[in-house]
PDB file of all heavy atoms in Angstrom:
ATOM      1  N   GLY R 130      39.781 136.576  92.923  1.00  0.00           N
ATOM      2  CA  GLY R 130      40.573 135.401  92.578  1.00  0.00           C
ATOM      3  C   GLY R 130      40.725 135.248  91.078  1.00  0.00           C
ATOM      4  O   GLY R 130      41.823 134.957  90.578  1.00  0.00           O
ATOM      5  N   ALA R 131      39.642 135.445  90.348  1.00  0.00           N
ATOM      6  CA  ALA R 131      39.695 135.336  88.885  1.00  0.00           C
ATOM      7  C   ALA R 131      40.606 136.414  88.298  1.00  0.00           C
ATOM      8  O   ALA R 131      41.417 136.133  87.412  1.00  0.00           O
ATOM      9  CB  ALA R 131      38.289 135.442  88.297  1.00  0.00           C
ATOM     10  N   LYS R 132      40.490 137.640  88.787  1.00  0.00           N
ATOM     11  CA  LYS R 132      41.344 138.723  88.290  1.00  0.00           C
ATOM     12  C   LYS R 132      42.812 138.442  88.574  1.00  0.00           C
ATOM     13  O   LYS R 132      43.676 138.682  87.732  1.00  0.00           O
ATOM     14  CB  LYS R 132      40.928 140.058  88.916  1.00  0.00           C
ATOM     15  CG  LYS R 132      39.624 140.594  88.375  1.00  0.00           C
ATOM     16  CD  LYS R 132      39.207 141.864  89.104  1.00  0.00           C
ATOM     17  CE  LYS R 132      37.826 142.310  88.653  1.00  0.00           C
ATOM     18  NZ  LYS R 132      37.328 143.448  89.430  1.00  0.00           N
ATOM     19  N   SER R 133      43.094 137.930  89.760  1.00  0.00           N
ATOM     20  CA  SER R 133      44.473 137.603  90.119  1.00  0.00           C
ATOM     21  C   SER R 133      45.015 136.501  89.224  1.00  0.00           C
ATOM     22  O   SER R 133      46.166 136.563  88.776  1.00  0.00           O
ATOM     23  CB  SER R 133      44.525 137.177  91.587  1.00  0.00           C
ATOM     24  OG  SER R 133      45.825 136.811  91.954  1.00  0.00           O
ATOM     25  N   PHE R 134      44.203 135.492  88.956  1.00  0.00           N
ATOM     26  CA  PHE R 134      44.632 134.404  88.081  1.00  0.00           C
ATOM     27  C   PHE R 134      44.937 134.933  86.683  1.00  0.00           C
ATOM     28  O   PHE R 134      45.976 134.597  86.098  1.00  0.00           O
ATOM     29  CB  PHE R 134      43.569 133.311  88.001  1.00  0.00           C
ATOM     30  CG  PHE R 134      43.940 132.216  87.041  1.00  0.00           C
ATOM     31  CD1 PHE R 134      44.759 131.183  87.439  1.00  0.00           C
ATOM     32  CD2 PHE R 134      43.485 132.241  85.733  1.00  0.00           C
ATOM     33  CE1 PHE R 134      45.125 130.185  86.551  1.00  0.00           C
ATOM     34  CE2 PHE R 134      43.850 131.252  84.831  1.00  0.00           C
ATOM     35  CZ  PHE R 134      44.670 130.220  85.245  1.00  0.00           C
ATOM     36  N   VAL R 135      44.058 135.753  86.143  1.00  0.00           N
ATOM     37  CA  VAL R 135      44.257 136.299  84.797  1.00  0.00           C
ATOM     38  C   VAL R 135      45.532 137.137  84.756  1.00  0.00           C
ATOM     39  O   VAL R 135      46.323 137.024  83.806  1.00  0.00           O
ATOM     40  CB  VAL R 135      43.029 137.117  84.337  1.00  0.00           C
ATOM     41  CG1 VAL R 135      43.325 137.903  83.074  1.00  0.00           C
ATOM     42  CG2 VAL R 135      41.835 136.186  84.125  1.00  0.00           C
ATOM     43  N   ALA R 136      45.761 137.956  85.767  1.00  0.00           N
ATOM     44  CA  ALA R 136      46.980 138.778  85.801  1.00  0.00           C
ATOM     45  C   ALA R 136      48.224 137.898  85.826  1.00  0.00           C
ATOM     46  O   ALA R 136      49.198 138.163  85.108  1.00  0.00           O
ATOM     47  CB  ALA R 136      46.953 139.707  87.011  1.00  0.00           C
ATOM     48  N   SER R 137      48.200 136.847  86.634  1.00  0.00           N
ATOM     49  CA  SER R 137      49.348 135.932  86.689  1.00  0.00           C
ATOM     50  C   SER R 137      49.540 135.212  85.365  1.00  0.00           C
ATOM     51  O   SER R 137      50.673 134.997  84.922  1.00  0.00           O
ATOM     52  CB  SER R 137      49.150 134.909  87.811  1.00  0.00           C
ATOM     53  OG  SER R 137      49.167 135.535  89.053  1.00  0.00           O
ATOM     54  N   TRP R 138      48.447 134.814  84.731  1.00  0.00           N
ATOM     55  CA  TRP R 138      48.529 134.127  83.438  1.00  0.00           C
ATOM     56  C   TRP R 138      49.156 135.043  82.386  1.00  0.00           C
ATOM     57  O   TRP R 138      50.037 134.622  81.634  1.00  0.00           O
ATOM     58  CB  TRP R 138      47.142 133.673  83.008  1.00  0.00           C
ATOM     59  CG  TRP R 138      47.162 132.897  81.743  1.00  0.00           C
ATOM     60  CD1 TRP R 138      46.872 133.344  80.488  1.00  0.00           C
ATOM     61  CD2 TRP R 138      47.536 131.523  81.581  1.00  0.00           C
ATOM     62  NE1 TRP R 138      47.021 132.338  79.575  1.00  0.00           N
ATOM     63  CE2 TRP R 138      47.430 131.204  80.217  1.00  0.00           C
ATOM     64  CE3 TRP R 138      47.937 130.536  82.473  1.00  0.00           C
ATOM     65  CZ2 TRP R 138      47.722 129.943  79.725  1.00  0.00           C
ATOM     66  CZ3 TRP R 138      48.217 129.277  81.974  1.00  0.00           C
ATOM     67  CH2 TRP R 138      48.112 129.003  80.613  1.00  0.00           C
ATOM     68  N   ILE R 139      48.712 136.285  82.345  1.00  0.00           N
ATOM     69  CA  ILE R 139      49.254 137.245  81.378  1.00  0.00           C
ATOM     70  C   ILE R 139      50.744 137.458  81.635  1.00  0.00           C
ATOM     71  O   ILE R 139      51.553 137.490  80.700  1.00  0.00           O
ATOM     72  CB  ILE R 139      48.464 138.574  81.426  1.00  0.00           C
ATOM     73  CG1 ILE R 139      47.062 138.358  80.851  1.00  0.00           C
ATOM     74  CG2 ILE R 139      49.202 139.676  80.673  1.00  0.00           C
ATOM     75  CD1 ILE R 139      46.118 139.523  81.072  1.00  0.00           C
ATOM     76  N   GLU R 140      51.123 137.581  82.900  1.00  0.00           N
ATOM     77  CA  GLU R 140      52.531 137.743  83.253  1.00  0.00           C
ATOM     78  C   GLU R 140      53.341 136.532  82.789  1.00  0.00           C
ATOM     79  O   GLU R 140      54.429 136.682  82.215  1.00  0.00           O
ATOM     80  CB  GLU R 140      52.687 137.936  84.756  1.00  0.00           C
ATOM     81  CG  GLU R 140      54.112 138.153  85.194  1.00  0.00           C
ATOM     82  CD  GLU R 140      54.250 138.314  86.702  1.00  0.00           C
ATOM     83  OE1 GLU R 140      53.229 138.429  87.410  1.00  0.00           O
ATOM     84  OE2 GLU R 140      55.408 138.318  87.162  1.00  0.00           O
ATOM     85  N   LEU R 141      52.825 135.335  83.006  1.00  0.00           N
ATOM     86  CA  LEU R 141      53.507 134.119  82.567  1.00  0.00           C
ATOM     87  C   LEU R 141      53.668 134.105  81.053  1.00  0.00           C
ATOM     88  O   LEU R 141      54.744 133.799  80.530  1.00  0.00           O
ATOM     89  CB  LEU R 141      52.740 132.880  83.026  1.00  0.00           C
ATOM     90  CG  LEU R 141      53.247 131.539  82.512  1.00  0.00           C
ATOM     91  CD1 LEU R 141      54.666 131.268  83.011  1.00  0.00           C
ATOM     92  CD2 LEU R 141      52.300 130.424  82.928  1.00  0.00           C
ATOM     93  N   MET R 142      52.625 134.445  80.328  1.00  0.00           N
ATOM     94  CA  MET R 142      52.701 134.458  78.868  1.00  0.00           C
ATOM     95  C   MET R 142      53.714 135.491  78.377  1.00  0.00           C
ATOM     96  O   MET R 142      54.447 135.250  77.407  1.00  0.00           O
ATOM     97  CB  MET R 142      51.321 134.740  78.248  1.00  0.00           C
ATOM     98  CG  MET R 142      50.290 133.641  78.491  1.00  0.00           C
ATOM     99  SD  MET R 142      50.737 132.068  77.716  1.00  0.00           S
ATOM    100  CE  MET R 142      51.240 131.126  79.140  1.00  0.00           C
ATOM    101  N   ASP R 143      53.780 136.638  79.061  1.00  0.00           N
ATOM    102  CA  ASP R 143      54.767 137.666  78.707  1.00  0.00           C
ATOM    103  C   ASP R 143      56.193 137.167  78.922  1.00  0.00           C
ATOM    104  O   ASP R 143      57.075 137.407  78.100  1.00  0.00           O
ATOM    105  CB  ASP R 143      54.533 138.948  79.511  1.00  0.00           C
ATOM    106  CG  ASP R 143      53.284 139.702  79.079  1.00  0.00           C
ATOM    107  OD1 ASP R 143      52.750 139.408  77.982  1.00  0.00           O
ATOM    108  OD2 ASP R 143      52.839 140.580  79.843  1.00  0.00           O
ATOM    109  N   VAL R 144      56.421 136.475  80.028  1.00  0.00           N
ATOM    110  CA  VAL R 144      57.752 135.927  80.309  1.00  0.00           C
ATOM    111  C   VAL R 144      58.127 134.893  79.250  1.00  0.00           C
ATOM    112  O   VAL R 144      59.252 134.890  78.731  1.00  0.00           O
ATOM    113  CB  VAL R 144      57.818 135.316  81.723  1.00  0.00           C
ATOM    114  CG1 VAL R 144      59.082 134.493  81.923  1.00  0.00           C
ATOM    115  CG2 VAL R 144      57.735 136.414  82.774  1.00  0.00           C
ATOM    116  N   ILE R 145      57.187 134.028  78.907  1.00  0.00           N
ATOM    117  CA  ILE R 145      57.457 133.013  77.878  1.00  0.00           C
ATOM    118  C   ILE R 145      57.764 133.674  76.540  1.00  0.00           C
ATOM    119  O   ILE R 145      58.714 133.286  75.848  1.00  0.00           O
ATOM    120  CB  ILE R 145      56.280 132.024  77.760  1.00  0.00           C
ATOM    121  CG1 ILE R 145      56.207 131.159  79.020  1.00  0.00           C
ATOM    122  CG2 ILE R 145      56.411 131.160  76.511  1.00  0.00           C
ATOM    123  CD1 ILE R 145      54.968 130.302  79.122  1.00  0.00           C
ATOM    124  N   ALA R 146      57.001 134.691  76.182  1.00  0.00           N
ATOM    125  CA  ALA R 146      57.236 135.400  74.919  1.00  0.00           C
ATOM    126  C   ALA R 146      58.605 136.069  74.921  1.00  0.00           C
ATOM    127  O   ALA R 146      59.332 136.036  73.920  1.00  0.00           O
ATOM    128  CB  ALA R 146      56.137 136.432  74.681  1.00  0.00           C
ATOM    129  N   SER R 147      58.976 136.671  76.039  1.00  0.00           N
ATOM    130  CA  SER R 147      60.275 137.332  76.155  1.00  0.00           C
ATOM    131  C   SER R 147      61.417 136.331  76.011  1.00  0.00           C
ATOM    132  O   SER R 147      62.389 136.574  75.292  1.00  0.00           O
ATOM    133  CB  SER R 147      60.357 138.046  77.503  1.00  0.00           C
ATOM    134  OG  SER R 147      61.644 138.562  77.709  1.00  0.00           O
ATOM    135  N   LYS R 148      61.298 135.207  76.681  1.00  0.00           N
ATOM    136  CA  LYS R 148      62.355 134.191  76.608  1.00  0.00           C
ATOM    137  C   LYS R 148      62.413 133.568  75.216  1.00  0.00           C
ATOM    138  O   LYS R 148      63.499 133.265  74.715  1.00  0.00           O
ATOM    139  CB  LYS R 148      62.143 133.126  77.669  1.00  0.00           C
ATOM    140  CG  LYS R 148      62.402 133.691  79.066  1.00  0.00           C
ATOM    141  CD  LYS R 148      62.385 132.615  80.123  1.00  0.00           C
ATOM    142  CE  LYS R 148      62.555 133.242  81.478  1.00  0.00           C
ATOM    143  NZ  LYS R 148      63.908 133.293  81.952  1.00  0.00           N
ATOM    144  N   THR R 149      61.274 133.413  74.567  1.00  0.00           N
ATOM    145  CA  THR R 149      61.229 132.900  73.209  1.00  0.00           C
ATOM    146  C   THR R 149      61.938 133.858  72.256  1.00  0.00           C
ATOM    147  O   THR R 149      62.724 133.442  71.411  1.00  0.00           O
ATOM    148  CB  THR R 149      59.790 132.659  72.750  1.00  0.00           C
ATOM    149  OG1 THR R 149      59.172 131.709  73.623  1.00  0.00           O
ATOM    150  CG2 THR R 149      59.712 132.163  71.326  1.00  0.00           C
ATOM    151  N   ALA R 150      61.676 135.154  72.437  1.00  0.00           N
ATOM    152  CA  ALA R 150      62.317 136.163  71.593  1.00  0.00           C
ATOM    153  C   ALA R 150      63.823 136.162  71.812  1.00  0.00           C
ATOM    154  O   ALA R 150      64.600 136.273  70.854  1.00  0.00           O
ATOM    155  CB  ALA R 150      61.736 137.540  71.888  1.00  0.00           C
ATOM    156  N   ALA R 151      64.259 136.014  73.056  1.00  0.00           N
ATOM    157  CA  ALA R 151      65.687 135.991  73.363  1.00  0.00           C
ATOM    158  C   ALA R 151      66.350 134.761  72.717  1.00  0.00           C
ATOM    159  O   ALA R 151      67.457 134.863  72.185  1.00  0.00           O
ATOM    160  CB  ALA R 151      65.918 135.990  74.868  1.00  0.00           C
ATOM    161  N   LEU R 152      65.679 133.634  72.755  1.00  0.00           N
ATOM    162  CA  LEU R 152      66.212 132.431  72.132  1.00  0.00           C
ATOM    163  C   LEU R 152      66.262 132.562  70.612  1.00  0.00           C
ATOM    164  O   LEU R 152      67.212 132.089  69.960  1.00  0.00           O
ATOM    165  CB  LEU R 152      65.382 131.197  72.524  1.00  0.00           C
ATOM    166  CG  LEU R 152      65.552 130.718  73.969  1.00  0.00           C
ATOM    167  CD1 LEU R 152      64.541 129.634  74.284  1.00  0.00           C
ATOM    168  CD2 LEU R 152      66.976 130.215  74.190  1.00  0.00           C
ATOM    169  N   ASP R 153      65.252 133.207  70.033  1.00  0.00           N
ATOM    170  CA  ASP R 153      65.231 133.427  68.592  1.00  0.00           C
ATOM    171  C   ASP R 153      66.420 134.315  68.159  1.00  0.00           C
ATOM    172  O   ASP R 153      67.039 134.056  67.129  1.00  0.00           O
ATOM    173  CB  ASP R 153      63.922 134.080  68.152  1.00  0.00           C
ATOM    174  CG  ASP R 153      62.750 133.100  68.148  1.00  0.00           C
ATOM    175  OD1 ASP R 153      62.994 131.864  68.211  1.00  0.00           O
ATOM    176  OD2 ASP R 153      61.596 133.570  68.111  1.00  0.00           O
ATOM    177  N   LYS R 154      66.715 135.331  68.960  1.00  0.00           N
ATOM    178  CA  LYS R 154      67.850 136.218  68.652  1.00  0.00           C
ATOM    179  C   LYS R 154      69.160 135.466  68.754  1.00  0.00           C
ATOM    180  O   LYS R 154      70.093 135.723  67.994  1.00  0.00           O
ATOM    181  CB  LYS R 154      67.876 137.395  69.618  1.00  0.00           C
ATOM    182  CG  LYS R 154      66.952 138.516  69.276  1.00  0.00           C
ATOM    183  CD  LYS R 154      67.183 139.685  70.238  1.00  0.00           C
ATOM    184  CE  LYS R 154      66.290 140.844  69.884  1.00  0.00           C
ATOM    185  NZ  LYS R 154      66.521 141.964  70.807  1.00  0.00           N
ATOM    186  N   ALA R 155      69.265 134.553  69.704  1.00  0.00           N
ATOM    187  CA  ALA R 155      70.513 133.845  69.931  1.00  0.00           C
ATOM    188  C   ALA R 155      70.793 132.799  68.857  1.00  0.00           C
ATOM    189  O   ALA R 155      71.937 132.404  68.669  1.00  0.00           O
ATOM    190  CB  ALA R 155      70.471 133.168  71.300  1.00  0.00           C
TER     191      ALA R 155
END
Side-chain angles (χ1 to χ4, degrees):
K132 287 176 186 174
S133 178
F134 176 84
V135 169
S137 294
W138 183 260
I139 290 170
E140 182 181 351
L141 174 63
M142 294 296 106
D143 289 345
V144 168
I145 291 171
S147 173
K148 290 188 184 266
T149 300
L152 288 172
D153 285 345
K154 278 186 178 180

